Amino acid sequence: MYNHAIEYEPTREEQSHAYAKVTARIIPFLFLCYVAAYLDRVNVGFAKLQMMSDLGLSDAAYGLGAGVFFIGYLLCEVPSNLIMMKVGARRWIARIMITWALVSAAMMLVKSPTSFYITRFLLGVAEAGFFPAVALYLTYWFPPSRCAKATALFMTAIPMSGVFGGPLSGYILHSMSDLGGLAAWQWLFLIEALPSLILGVAAFFFLDDRVEDAKWLTAQERAILATNLKSEQHHRHLNSLREGFANKKIWVLSIMFLFFTMGLYGISFWLPTIIKQSGVADPLNVGLLTALPYGAAAIAMVMVSRSSDARRERRWHVAIPGLIGSLGLLVSALNSHDTTISLVALTFGTAGVLTTISQFWVLPPSFMGGAAVAAGFAVANTIGSVSGLVAPYLIGLVQGVSHSTTGGVLALAACGVLGSVMVFMIDSKSVNH
């Protein structure tokens, strides 16, 4: 859209100022959006504490309803990202958030197992495409050489939502029982849907689809960003929709991402157990203590992303945190009798696993662009989301055989090792720039 070249070479300070301005405008807003997404996805786990007895749901019915979410999510993930390419990020991200907010709020009206299954399925359909849409949106502003830091800053919402989400849900369940004739779990769904609704409306007015639409940037700043994006396009030799689906590299990355997200479920499963075994009975206090590992993860994600961008190296910045995450799971599982050792190990494990996942999303846009990266993001996230069904089943299967949760966590640690090894199946020239 720019018909003239920049007549001078921008200084490093001018470059840094332009990207700092973009980061300050976009990242905090997307961060809040992802925290809201987390609340609406996992609050059913907190609501379960009360809604099962109120509705007469069995453990089997609850488990099926929790899993049905992923069916709707998996079916609509790829189509959602492809639609965003046509209608624009601003409209589509707003649509996703408003729709899932309304469906999440409708969970308060559930009266039976059937209505529970239907609303959970619709919630998966509504939320499908949000994360890959945001990952794709970031590539519209940041070239591959700067993508690691931007992605990591956005994805710190994962550990930070673990800090805020648990205490908030615990407080609502503790304080709002029978208020206004509603059960506390009904208030939970209603209150935690409001941030998504508000942010969804705000997204329509706040986000810009492209650099050239950003009136809050000066003409010089828009030119700097557009020129940098264009100058790094030659690295992205895959651009068509067919290449996004058919290229071998994206399928290797997708399976690798599945292994990494299995490790994430290992962290989610094991961390509350270790804290509870230490003698902390109150769920609210358990949620507060998880702030230590998640806080460490947020710091590690940003530090590793800075190193990755500065060194223009991607594979080792994925593999090393992945191995650290697996080692943390291993040590914590083998020392489950020692709360201190287990918690320290899980702090390193949580930092490693979450850092690996944030670094993973820098890999696809390194060699793909246009419709290819839209399809690639969606395929990878779809396959990775299968871990939401596989990981709990794997833990349960191993626990049934060994009569211990340790074996299940060790199996997930092994998945992290496999993912870390697989990253070297992608040649360094494709991603290290």
Side-chain angles (χ1 to χ4, degrees):
M1 195 158 182
Y2 296 97
N3 297 320
H4 60 280
I6 298 178
E7 297 178 356
Y8 65 95
E9 184 72 20
T11 65
R12 179 176 297 181
E13 289 74 17
E14 289 172 331
Q15 296 259 6
S16 297
H17 178 75
Y19 283 105
K21 200 169 178 180
V22 173
T23 299
R25 167 83 178 193
I26 294 176
I27 300 299
F29 182 79
L30 295 177
F31 173 95
L32 291 175
C33 290
Y34 200 55
V35 170
Y38 170 87
L39 289 176
D40 285 343
R41 178 183 291 194
V42 304
N43 57 12
V44 69
F46 290 93
K48 169 182 181 257
L49 301 175
Q50 296 179 2
M51 72 182 295
M52 285 184 65
S53 58
D54 286 358
L55 301 179
L57 292 175
S58 66
D59 286 330
Y62 169 78
L64 177 59
V68 160
F69 168 90
F70 288 98
I71 296 176
Y73 190 86
L74 295 174
L75 288 175
C76 297
E77 183 84 337
V78 173
S80 179
N81 230 35
L82 298 182
I83 292 173
M84 192 193 94
M85 290 288 294
K86 294 184 177 297
V87 305
R90 177 173 63 91
R91 292 180 177 85
W92 199 243
I93 290 175
R95 194 286 305 163
I96 291 174
M97 296 191 67
I98 292 171
T99 305
W100 95 48
L102 295 175
V103 176
S104 185
M107 288 287 295
M108 68 181 291
L109 304 176
V110 166
K111 300 294 183 182
S112 66
T114 300
S115 58
F116 180 53
Y117 302 152
I118 292 172
T119 49
R120 285 291 295 174
F121 175 81
L122 292 176
L123 185 62
V125 171
E127 190 179 331
F130 173 73
F131 183 85
V134 173
L136 178 63
Y137 183 67
L138 291 176
T139 68
Y140 295 166
W141 300 85
F142 299 94
S145 61
R146 293 178 178 267
C147 235
K149 180 183 176 182
T151 303
L153 287 172
F154 159 65
M155 291 191 66
T156 55
I158 297 177
M160 295 312 295
S161 61
V163 174
F164 298 123
L168 175 61
S169 296
Y171 175 79
I172 293 172
L173 291 178
H174 178 76
S175 305
M176 304 191 70
S177 181
D178 295 324
L179 182 64
L182 297 176
W185 62 267
Q186 292 176 302
W187 280 111
L188 177 69
F189 286 124
L190 179 60
I191 291 173
E192 294 191 352
L194 292 177
S196 295
L197 182 62
I198 294 170
L199 289 167
V201 173
F204 183 82
F205 298 98
F206 187 79
L207 297 178
D208 295 292
D209 285 327
R210 302 281 179 174
V211 169
E212 52 265 33
D213 299 327
K215 304 305 181 186
W216 41 273
L217 291 172
T218 66
Q220 177 182 327
E221 289 165 344
R222 290 196 296 270
I224 290 173
L225 267 61
T227 300
N228 287 347
L229 289 169
K230 185 177 180 180
S231 68
E232 297 195 25
Q233 278 294 329
H234 66 277
H235 292 298
R236 300 173 178 179
H237 52 277
L238 303 177
N239 290 282
S240 73
L241 183 62
R242 182 188 64 81
E243 289 171 325
F245 285 115
N247 185 262
K248 182 182 71 172
K249 291 178 184 177
I250 196 59
W251 288 98
V252 170
L253 289 177
S254 298
I255 296 171
M256 183 175 73
F257 187 57
L258 172 62
F259 285 136
F260 287 144
T261 52
M262 294 281 281
L264 178 60
Y265 276 91
I267 293 291
S268 302
F269 175 81
W270 198 238
L271 183 56
T273 302
I274 291 294
I275 295 175
K276 187 175 181 180
Q277 286 176 347
S278 70
V280 181
D282 191 332
L284 180 58
N285 291 332
V286 171
L288 291 172
L289 286 175
T290 60
L292 274 176
Y294 285 125
I299 295 171
M301 290 165 71
V302 175
M303 290 179 63
V304 172
S305 70
R306 289 178 181 271
S307 173
S308 179
D309 278 347
R311 298 173 184 272
R312 302 289 182 95
E313 197 291 320
R314 306 303 185 188
R315 298 190 303 173
W316 285 106
H317 284 81
V318 172
I320 291 177
L323 293 173
I324 292 174
S326 294
L327 181 62
L329 281 173
L330 173 65
V331 173
S332 69
L334 295 179
N335 294 273
S336 58
H337 59 283
D338 190 317
T339 301
T340 301
I341 293 178
S342 295
L343 191 56
V344 170
L346 275 174
T347 298
F348 281 95
T350 304
V353 169
L354 288 174
T355 298
T356 298
I357 290 175
S358 70
Q359 288 299 300
F360 167 84
W361 289 105
V362 182
L363 301 179
S366 295
F367 59 90
M368 295 191 299
V373 73
F377 274 144
V379 169
N381 201 52
T382 298
I383 294 177
S385 297
V386 173
S387 62
L389 297 172
V390 175
Y393 175 77
L394 178 61
I395 291 177
L397 180 65
V398 175
Q399 183 175 353
V401 174
S402 64
H403 304 290
S404 170
T405 55
T406 300
V409 176
L410 292 179
L412 299 185
C415 289
V417 173
L418 288 173
S420 298
V421 172
M422 283 186 68
V423 72
F424 294 100
M425 295 175 65
I426 306 297
D427 62 285
S428 61
K429 291 183 179 179
S430 295
V431 295
N432 289 348
H433 49 76

